[in-house]
Amino acid sequence: MNTESVSIAEIGISGASVAYDKRYSYIIPDELSGTVSAGKRVIVPFGRGSRKRIGIVLSVSECSAAETQKCKCITSVIDSEPVIGGEMQKMLEWLHDMTLCTYYDAFRALIPPGLSVNFTEKYSFSEADTEQKKGLSPQAADLYASFSEVKNRREQEMMISAAFDGTDKAAAEELLSKGLIVRCDEVRRRVKDETLQMIHLSEGFCDHPELFKLTPKQKKIAEVLEENGAASVKELCYLCNITGQVIKNMLKSGAAESFEYEVIRPSEAKADSDPDDIVLTDEQQAAYNGISSLIDSDKPDCALLFGVTGSGKTSVFAKLIKHTLDIGKNVIMMIPEISLTPQTVSRFQSLFGDMVSVIHSSLSMTARLNEYKRIRSGGSRIVVGTRSAVFAPIDNIGLIIMDEEGEMTYKSETSPRYSARDAAKMRCVYHNAVLLLASATPSIESFYNAERGRYKLFELKNRYAGNPLPSVDIIDMSEEELCGTSGIFSAKLVNELNANLSRGEQSILLLNRRGYYTFISCTSCREPVKCPNCSIPLTYHKTNNRLICHYCGFSEDMLTKCPCCGSEKLKMTGLGTQKLEDEISDLFPSARILRMDADTTYSRYAYERSFKAFENGEYDIMLGTQMIAKGLDFPNVTLVGVLSVDKALFCGDFRSYERTFSLITQVVGRGGRSDKAGRAYIQTCVPEHYVINLAAQQDYKEFYRQESALRKALTYPPYCDICVAGFSSVNDRHADDGSKAFLGLISDEVDKGNIRFPLRVLGPARCVFERINGRFRYRIIIKCRNTAEFREFISEIRLRFLKMKEYSDVQLYIDINGDIGL
């Protein structure tokens, strides 16, 4: 019996489907002993064909040789140091368990895209002597001859690769085994480290300088290096007044050696104000005192800062960040939208200078990687960013702030489908830190937890400096039509815009639909012009005279005939931000208009330039989609117009009322934030709806009371969790049948009495948008409790479904507490 112990690594494999995702055991060969550890990436043979894959090492252990007889060996190690440390290794396991994603998907969520690597197997041709070619099979000999006839090296490599993938694989393997073909693994990182070539004196020169004959200029180099230890090529050229060739000659002689030094670009931000100068109101001071005492307790905790718009939550954040830094701990500050980044970063950099780092998806891969390395090296103590900032490699965290915490952008819509709030809680537990949730319109779930004492609740009931909340009027657009107003604007809103322009004050207009016309239909056959890939009408964009699908990206030139019946009687209806811009220009020719939507902010610095210009008074009216609704602070804005939110109320999601209330309340709160009074007008065709009325009154607590009662009666969060199983296929019947088969698997377990937890299943049913990007979509909604037992159950059901070959063309995803609207 073999009792010898063997080192084993458990590895998560890249590219493994959910059905085959598990911890795979690999032997660590002797030549790699000491180089394999958790958090590093390796190359391993995978599957029946032993094709090489990248894997992330999850753990390393010892076991007996008898237990590893069927295990394969690790081929090579990619990283010299672990890419993720101990805390992030725990986060990887948490993501895998909570979101039911693959191990490697979880790993990729934890690192910036620039750290990702691409792996390819390359083959090269080896010239052989007669002895090597002896004993080759006829097929291998013919294949070798065909390779040798090709003189172009790249073409030769392509032929060899094709042979391994085709019918000549056996012959190619034979050539490989005899050394007539050489295989090598090539790993390339998406973004290379920025490095600097450094020079230092060689060991030989330091021990016996008399053996080296240096020129006068080289002697100058030696003197500088003896004094400083090492210097860059550029520094030596400047200090010694020499050219690079002198250094090259010194390297050739062996007197000096070069090495690469990794460069991390520092932040150029400078603090120009002091957080200690911020004066808090009594309400703010009380909130600050309570939250800072939680931070000082050195225990994990969660607090909700509930304050009306303009109550000065950001000032409280700044004071809390200063307090956290003073006690030697670090901070993560999360914001829901990239559009909020410029103003937020500017505020905190003015207070904390180069201690602030920024992380969000609009940064280039190089810039994002540099910020990641700056944080990891300790060069930054405050991280500001969107959802992904929750995984920033910052240590010793004392405080994590989630501003506008109720926004659904904090929930990932792709694998891993994690909630940034839940991830932040995990990090707070690890670091004994405080999670501070903040909003004027908290999520129903967060306020529910605060009411029940699970979160500490702190309130700011008044605006800073005693400024009143904006006055809000609801305008019935049905009555406006009866009075002869047929345009986009009510007569009242037009008069108020005119008044603002005459006073030199700024206005904000919200319309949550981009494009020019949002609906084009044929008056003959009454069919809308739809996207060929989706069950969604195309939107007309006047800028490029094209019809565009906002879901799959399909676009085509504007049509002159109906694609269904050939009629030329096409009618354009609906309203988008492009048309709104034209309408405002016609009504107010002298007005300077800034449009903010996805079509005008695609460039990297668009948000920063546009918001700065508006803040500086270069525009009179800013119109846009929901990106302008939250978190922005413009002192000269005194008028807000909400043009159309009726559709948002009835979008088929149980959160539609909550989102609509939040959107209206937040955008109304952009007005009157200085000493000038603010006013707002909500244009609607349902003026009696309680959500619109409560938003106009900015009465969150009454909205919460009514919404909470409704959800309790219908059993929706926070009174349960929601798990969505989504199905899609290019074949409508297959998607439908697949969803029913999945339901059948659940029903079987119920019939067997194997389910010992509450479960309520709705569906299957078509999604609101039944076809997107050529795939038909169905879903099952499961009301449940998000426990380990439930996740284990739904994972097992998913695994059984994925093994049903008749539904191999049906894609399945599981999303817990995500969006169910579309």
Side-chain angles (χ1 to χ4, degrees):
M1 185 176 178
N2 190 353
T3 58
E4 183 183 349
S5 68
V6 177
S7 294
I8 289 291
E10 289 193 321
I11 294 172
I13 306 296
S14 65
S17 66
V18 172
Y20 293 96
D21 181 61
K22 64 177 184 179
R23 303 168 77 100
Y24 288 92
S25 296
Y26 283 86
I27 296 171
I28 302 174
D30 292 341
E31 63 268 22
L32 297 180
S33 179
T35 64
V36 179
S37 61
K40 288 185 179 181
R41 287 169 295 193
V42 292
I43 295 173
V44 295
F46 184 71
R48 291 180 181 176
S50 291
R51 297 298 297 267
K52 290 183 180 177
R53 296 274 188 93
I54 297 172
I56 178 69
V57 180
L58 304 172
S59 64
V60 174
S61 60
E62 298 287 324
C63 65
S64 66
E67 295 177 87
T68 63
Q69 289 180 356
K70 294 184 179 180
C71 293
K72 299 175 183 179
C73 289
I74 295 173
T75 303
S76 59
V77 181
I78 294 174
D79 305 300
S80 57
E81 298 291 333
V83 184
I84 55 173
E87 183 194 2
M88 288 298 110
Q89 289 166 27
K90 289 185 176 181
M91 289 298 294
L92 187 155
E93 297 284 357
W94 177 83
L95 280 170
H96 176 265
D97 294 342
M98 292 296 294
T99 70
L100 311 181
C101 67
T102 66
Y103 282 109
Y104 208 82
D105 277 350
F107 166 71
R108 284 192 299 195
L110 302 175
I111 63 170
L115 274 182
S116 298
V117 294
N118 296 319
F119 167 71
T120 53
E121 283 184 322
K122 285 206 166 185
Y123 299 92
S124 59
F125 182 73
S126 176
E127 295 288 346
D129 54 33
T130 308
E131 284 297 318
Q132 281 182 289
K133 288 188 280 187
K134 281 183 178 179
L136 285 178
S137 67
Q139 293 85 355
D142 290 343
L143 190 63
Y144 181 83
S146 66
F147 292 156
S148 61
E149 290 172 2
V150 178
K151 302 305 179 186
N152 183 288
R153 183 178 173 183
R154 183 169 178 78
E155 188 178 339
Q156 198 176 62
E157 289 175 355
M158 290 174 65
M159 283 183 64
I160 297 171
S161 295
F164 276 96
D165 292 332
T167 55
D168 293 325
K169 182 178 180 180
E173 292 283 1
E174 186 179 343
L175 295 176
L176 182 67
S177 66
K178 289 185 173 288
L180 301 175
I181 292 174
V182 178
R183 178 166 58 194
C184 63
D185 301 332
E186 186 176 275
V187 178
R188 287 188 178 181
R189 211 170 77 186
R190 293 183 71 180
V191 176
K192 292 182 178 179
D193 288 325
E194 190 172 344
T195 58
L196 197 64
Q197 187 182 16
M198 302 289 289
I199 309 297
H200 66 86
L201 295 173
S202 67
E203 192 175 328
F205 180 86
C206 292
D207 292 341
H208 301 286
E210 70 279 0
L211 299 179
F212 296 85
K213 293 183 179 179
L214 302 182
T215 66
K217 290 182 177 180
Q218 289 175 344
K219 286 179 181 178
K220 282 186 180 180
I221 295 173
E223 289 172 5
V224 171
L225 295 179
E226 282 174 351
E227 184 178 346
N228 297 283
S232 69
V233 172
K234 189 175 181 179
E235 288 170 332
L236 289 174
C237 289
Y238 174 76
L239 292 171
C240 302
N241 194 25
I242 57 169
T243 64
Q245 189 59 47
V246 178
I247 299 173
K248 287 181 181 177
N249 292 338
M250 193 169 177
L251 292 171
K252 284 181 182 178
S253 72
E257 295 172 342
S258 69
F259 64 96
E260 297 293 319
Y261 176 76
E262 185 179 348
V263 176
I264 300 175
R265 293 185 183 182
S267 169
E268 297 178 0
K270 302 294 181 185
D272 54 19
S273 53
D274 191 339
D276 290 333
D277 294 337
I278 296 173
V279 179
L280 301 180
T281 65
D282 290 343
E283 272 189 333
Q284 289 174 318
Q285 189 66 47
Y288 166 79
N289 292 341
I291 299 166
S292 60
S293 67
L294 294 178
I295 297 169
D296 292 339
S297 70
D298 203 30
K299 295 177 183 177
D301 215 329
C302 186
L304 174 62
L305 180 59
F306 168 49
V308 298
T309 56
S311 58
K313 292 184 286 294
T314 304
S315 297
V316 178
F317 297 161
K319 285 284 195 179
L320 289 169
I321 290 171
K322 175 68 164 55
H323 175 78
T324 306
L325 298 179
D326 286 346
I327 62 173
K329 295 189 175 184
N330 301 320
V331 179
I332 294 176
M333 166 88 189
M334 285 191 284
I335 50 179
E337 299 266 1
I338 293 172
S339 60
L340 299 180
T341 307
Q343 272 204 345
T344 305
V345 170
S346 177
R347 286 171 188 160
F348 287 109
Q349 284 183 338
S350 70
L351 292 167
F352 302 104
D354 61 2
M355 285 193 285
V356 179
S357 280
V358 186
I359 291 181
H360 59 74
S361 58
S362 282
L363 293 175
S364 69
M365 284 200 292
T366 302
R368 197 169 171 184
L369 180 60
N370 186 78
E371 289 292 83
Y372 178 90
K373 291 191 290 187
R374 194 160 76 87
I375 296 165
R376 188 173 59 185
S377 66
S380 168
R381 298 189 62 193
I382 305 166
V383 178
V384 177
T386 49
R387 182 178 63 227
S388 59
V390 74
F391 299 126
I394 194 165
D395 220 354
N396 194 25
I397 299 170
L399 176 66
I400 298 179
I401 301 171
M402 278 185 72
D403 197 16
E404 306 301 349
E405 64 86 26
E407 284 294 290
M408 283 304 292
T409 49
Y410 283 123
K411 179 72 166 65
S412 173
E413 294 180 350
T414 57
S415 182
R417 299 172 186 269
Y418 68 91
S419 160
R421 185 194 295 111
D422 294 339
K425 287 178 181 177
M426 286 298 298
R427 296 207 71 179
C428 286
V429 169
Y430 186 89
H431 290 278
N432 288 324
V434 172
L435 172 60
L436 176 59
L437 309 173
S439 182
T441 54
S443 67
I444 299 297
E445 293 89 336
S446 291
F447 205 80
Y448 174 85
N449 285 328
E451 265 199 334
R452 275 146 187 78
R454 296 171 190 166
Y455 300 166
K456 306 294 190 302
L457 178 62
F458 300 91
E459 293 191 55
L460 302 176
K461 298 177 181 179
N462 302 292
R463 280 193 154 188
Y464 187 75
N467 298 325
L469 289 166
S471 61
V472 184
D473 286 346
I474 299 173
I475 299 173
D476 187 348
M477 292 306 287
S478 300
E479 286 189 5
E480 289 286 318
E481 285 188 23
L482 292 175
C483 296
T485 304
S486 58
I488 298 169
F489 297 100
S490 61
K492 181 66 175 175
L493 186 53
V494 169
N495 292 335
E496 292 297 326
L497 285 166
N498 252 324
N500 252 33
L501 289 169
S502 65
R503 289 195 295 264
E505 296 172 359
Q506 293 174 305
S507 308
I508 288 178
L509 299 175
L510 173 73
L511 177 65
N512 207 19
R513 290 196 298 273
R514 33 191 285 246
Y516 199 85
Y517 291 112
T518 57
F519 193 81
I520 300 170
S521 60
C522 175
T523 57
S524 297
C525 68
R526 301 184 183 277
E527 281 293 316
V529 177
K530 290 185 177 181
C531 170
N533 305 317
C534 310
S535 57
I536 299 166
L538 292 170
T539 299
Y540 174 65
H541 286 245
K542 185 181 178 183
T543 308
N544 54 9
N545 195 37
R546 291 183 71 79
L547 297 173
I548 298 177
C549 175
H550 292 164
Y551 285 84
C552 73
F554 171 84
S555 72
E556 63 180 351
D557 290 334
M558 178 58 196
L559 302 175
T560 56
K561 294 182 179 180
C562 172
C564 294
C565 69
S567 170
E568 295 182 358
K569 297 178 180 179
L570 295 177
K571 182 182 179 182
M572 296 184 178
T573 54
L575 170 66
T577 48
Q578 289 182 8
K579 186 179 181 185
L580 177 61
E581 184 178 20
D582 281 1
E583 291 276 340
I584 298 172
S585 297
D586 291 341
L587 283 169
F588 312 105
S590 62
R592 298 167 298 170
I593 304 163
L594 173 64
R595 176 162 61 90
M596 295 293 291
D597 57 28
D599 300 315
T600 61
T601 57
Y602 54 84
S603 64
R604 189 175 301 161
Y605 303 108
Y607 296 109
E608 188 171 355
R609 286 195 298 264
S610 299
F611 287 141
K612 192 68 178 175
F614 189 74
E615 187 176 13
N616 292 338
E618 296 173 30
Y619 295 97
D620 303 308
I621 300 172
M622 177 165 66
L623 65 95
T625 54
Q626 64 183 9
M627 67 173 65
I628 67 170
K630 299 190 177 187
L632 299 171
D633 189 358
F634 301 112
N636 198 35
V637 171
T638 57
L639 174 64
V640 173
V642 180
L643 300 187
S644 177
V645 291
D646 295 355
K647 283 182 68 176
L649 281 169
F650 312 109
C651 69
D653 185 352
F654 74 92
R655 292 191 180 93
S656 58
Y657 284 5
E658 180 182 358
R659 288 178 185 168
T660 306
F661 177 88
S662 177
L663 184 63
I664 296 173
T665 304
Q666 291 282 358
V667 74
V668 164
R670 297 313 101 203
R673 297 174 75 89
S674 64
D675 54 350
K676 300 174 184 176
R679 61 211 189 282
Y681 296 88
I682 304 170
Q683 297 186 168
T684 176
C685 292
V686 286
E688 72 288 344
H689 201 289
Y690 82 92
V691 171
I692 290 178
N693 279 271
L694 289 174
Q697 297 163 25
Q698 297 165 82
D699 189 349
Y700 174 83
K701 287 190 174 180
E702 178 57 25
F703 169 75
Y704 167 79
R705 188 187 67 78
Q706 294 196 34
E707 181 69 7
S708 181
L710 180 62
R711 294 195 189 181
K712 186 175 184 179
L714 299 175
T715 316
Y716 277 106
Y719 301 98
C720 72
D721 292 296
I722 295 285
C723 175
V724 175
F727 307 83
S728 68
S729 172
V730 293
N731 186 301
D732 188 16
R733 185 175 60 80
H734 285 190
D736 186 15
D737 291 347
S739 64
K740 290 172 181 173
F742 189 90
L743 178 63
L745 293 173
I746 296 176
S747 299
D748 289 345
E749 292 301 304
V750 173
D751 294 341
K752 293 174 185 176
N754 293 338
I755 298 179
R756 296 180 178 83
F757 44 83
L759 204 65
R760 186 176 296 178
V761 181
L762 307 178
R766 289 183 185 273
C767 295
V768 176
F769 294 152
E770 62 186 51
R771 185 166 172 256
I772 288 182
N773 209 14
R775 301 186 71 86
F776 294 91
R777 305 161 68 236
Y778 290 77
R779 70 183 177 197
I780 293 173
I781 298 173
I782 305 171
K783 297 179 180 180
C784 58
R785 282 294 179 197
N786 184 15
T787 61
E789 187 180 13
F790 170 76
R791 292 193 299 274
E792 184 180 350
F793 164 76
I794 205 69
S795 295
E796 178 60 30
I797 295 294
R798 178 179 63 174
L799 190 59
R800 289 187 208 169
F801 175 81
L802 293 173
K803 290 181 178 179
M804 299 171 77
K805 293 183 180 179
E806 60 268 39
Y807 303 117
S808 59
D809 64 330
V810 178
Q811 291 182 2
L812 165 66
Y813 73 86
I814 302 292
D815 189 6
I816 299 177
N817 290 329
D819 194 343
I820 68 170
L822 303 178

